[in-house]
Each structure stands twice: as C-alpha cells, then as structure tokens.
Amino acid sequence: AEAEDVRVNFEVSKACEAELHHYCASVKPEGALGCLELHLGGSDFGAPCATAVRATMRLALQDYRLHPQVKAACEPTLPRVCPTVPPGEGAVLRCLLDGEGSGNLTDKACARAIRQAARSAFVSYTPRHAITDLCDDDIGRLCAAPDAARRAAALRGAPGPLEESSLDLNGDSELVGAELWPCLSHKAHAEPTSFRSSACASLVERLSLDPKVSLEEAEERAKELSETLSKSSRKQRALLKKVRAAKAETSASRSEGDAERDRALAEMRAVQSEIGVKTTELSALREKLAYAEAMREEAERLQAEAQARLSSGVVINRGVA
C-alpha cells in the first residue's frame, strides 16, 4: 500500500507535512493520499507537495496493485470482470472502468474506487495513458489550446464561457486536467455526438456534473435527496412495525392479519427499492460535487499563480501549444 499510505511514502510525507496537518489530520494514513489529492487546489497547498502527490498518483494509475483503494475494493471481483487482463500499463484499471460503464461491474465499492481512479487520471492528465487515452483524440480536437487572446483574457481574469474552450489559466502553454475539464465535461453533456469516441463521452459524462447545473443547485439537490431518504427510512421502520404486529395476531384473526402483513410487506419492498435508487443517486451526486469543487479549486490556484507572476513581472513564454 505504499502508493497510498504516507507512512511509507517518504517523498509525500516529507513534502506534505504541513498539508497533511492542515487538510488531512483526521484521515487514516492509508487514505491520506486521496485526501491530499482532493485538496490539491487549496490556497495553502505548496508546490513541492502538489508535485509529490501528482507523481505518486501517476505511478498508482499505471498498475492497480499500486492503487490500494482499487486493489482492496476490486481484487475480489477481478476474476469475474477482468479474468485475462494482465496488470501493468493501466490495463486492469481500464478494464474495470469499461465494466463500470457497461454495468458488468456490480460491486459498488469497486465501482466507486475505479471512478475515483479515473478522476485522478484526468486531474493529472497526460496523453497516451491507459485510462484516459480513449479521450486523447477528442481532447485534441474539441478542447485545443486557447489562442493568445483567450490566454491573455484568462490571465486578466476576464469573464468568459469557460466551457467553450480550454483556458491556459497559468499561461505556461501547457494544458492540464483542471484547464481541460470544463471544456470536456461541457461537450460530454451538451454535445456528446461531437465526440469521435462515444466511450470517452460516456466516461466524462459519468464522472462530471452537468455544467448547466451550478454547484449550489447540485448541493441543494443533494440536500433534498438526503431528506427524502430520511423520510423513506422512517416509513420503512413504521412498516416493519406493522408487519411484526400482523405476525403477532391471534389465530382467530390470522387471515386478516396475514392480509395486512402482505400489504405492509409489498409497501415496504417498494420503499426499499426507492431507498436503493435514491441512495445510488445521492452517492453519485456527492462524488461529482466533490470532484467539481476540487477541479474548481485547482483552476483558481492556476489562475492565481499566473496573476502572481504577472504582478511580479515574471512571464513564462514557451510558445503557443
């Protein structure tokens, strides 16, 4: 578990001592890297820590055995979902992701872990990676580097439709995950037929919030779902009491009691089904919300980095990407 456990990952533990204390003090060591990754865009997140975290995550995304969350959650299901896929070069992760998309991967913990791994791959996006390579062509076509005018507007903080094109927020002529994601997620939700790879469009849609839905609206929906689940759980408990009461009926009124029990059982099954659907929806929404917030924080960090350089008079010019 070296990739995830900061106790044995010397580079991360050394570079991220302050960040671990600030962001992840209450997180178990084996989950600390995931916590750090979630807060990469934080205002107090240092560059050495960010570099160490990204390098470690890139390594983990090459082999599921180096990704403890995926390894722990998915190893039991591998013989069924990916029986002939060799480890290494992200092949098992890609296979699991395909299974998650097709519905063949039914283990919820594994599905959640592989979605998080895919989100990590887009945060630290590099071409020709086994998880995200299905999107390489569409990223190049649909979310190409901005022209000089758009880059200048981004550096000035000028308002504009981020979703229409990627923005080189820090002005280094290189596009990273947080700069590409607004464009890619917008296209997947609004123009999925513009993708040459339908698998890429489907993957991005599953991982992202619909850009037409604000974070505030999504948070309100999550609150509504939580309240609905609470009401359904109370109703389920009341129905369970009714079933037990019907079972306790005397033999003289057993026929009536059986009918009442059957009605209550049928209603309880319907409530249980509703709870399952709403729980799945709420879990997916919370995942997408956390990712959207992390990407937004990272984008803000990149833009602040560029503005700080402009204020200091330092300009990076590597040519237009």
Side-chain angles (χ1 to χ4, degrees), residues 170-294:
N170 63 350
D172 66 354
S173 299
E174 296 178 1
L175 292 176
V176 295
E179 295 169 321
L180 291 163
W181 193 247
C183 164
L184 202 59
S185 57
H186 168 76
K187 297 289 187 183
H189 286 273
E191 305 171 35
T193 57
S194 66
F195 284 71
R196 287 177 179 166
S197 169
S198 59
C200 174
S202 173
L203 172 60
V204 174
E205 189 275 333
R206 296 199 311 275
L207 298 180
S208 62
L209 276 176
D210 186 338
K212 294 194 297 293
V213 179
S214 69
L215 292 181
E216 293 73 18
E217 290 170 332
E219 288 167 353
E220 184 60 30
R221 175 58 180 161
K223 182 180 178 181
E224 290 173 2
L225 284 169
S226 295
E227 292 171 352
T228 298
L229 282 170
S230 294
K231 291 177 182 177
S232 296
S233 295
R234 290 195 295 271
K235 185 176 182 180
Q236 185 182 37
R237 289 194 293 271
L239 287 167
L240 184 58
K241 287 182 181 179
K242 188 180 289 188
V243 169
R244 288 172 175 167
K247 285 182 178 179
E249 290 289 336
T250 64
S251 57
S253 58
R254 183 160 293 164
S255 177
E256 182 179 343
D258 286 347
E260 178 65 21
R261 183 197 61 192
D262 290 344
R263 285 193 295 271
L265 280 171
E267 191 175 356
M268 191 165 72
R269 281 193 288 269
V271 172
Q272 286 174 330
S273 177
E274 180 188 11
I275 288 175
V277 170
K278 297 297 184 185
T279 299
T280 299
E281 182 182 354
L282 179 59
S283 177
L285 182 57
R286 283 175 170 164
E287 282 184 33
K288 292 179 178 182
L289 260 172
Y291 192 55
E293 289 170 350

Side-chain angles (χ1 to χ4, degrees), residues 61-95:
L61 290 168
Q62 292 296 326
D63 190 329
Y64 86 94
R65 294 169 299 184
L66 298 175
H67 199 298
Q69 291 172 324
V70 173
K71 185 175 186 293
C74 298
E75 205 156 45
T77 200
L78 281 176
R80 184 182 68 82
V81 181
C82 306
T84 62
V85 180
E89 298 184 359
V92 170
L93 293 170
R94 176 67 175 275
C95 173

Side-chain angles (χ1 to χ4, degrees), residues 18-27 35-36 39 41-45:
E19 289 80 4
L20 284 166
H21 177 75
H22 183 74
Y23 293 105
C24 309
S26 62
V27 177
C35 171
L36 289 170
H39 294 93
S43 58
D44 296 326
F45 216 100

Side-chain angles (χ1 to χ4, degrees), residues 132-190:
T132 56
D133 62 354
L134 77 169
C135 290
D136 284 352
D137 179 59
D138 287 310
I139 285 174
R141 287 190 317 106
L142 303 175
C143 302
D147 58 27
R150 288 183 62 79
R151 181 184 297 117
L155 294 180
R156 292 196 306 270
L162 282 176
E163 70 276 6
E164 290 183 1
S165 171
S166 302
L167 285 176
D168 184 8
L169 296 173
N170 63 350
D172 66 354
S173 299
E174 296 178 1
L175 292 176
V176 295
E179 295 169 321
L180 291 163
W181 193 247
C183 164
L184 202 59
S185 57
H186 168 76
K187 297 289 187 183
H189 286 273

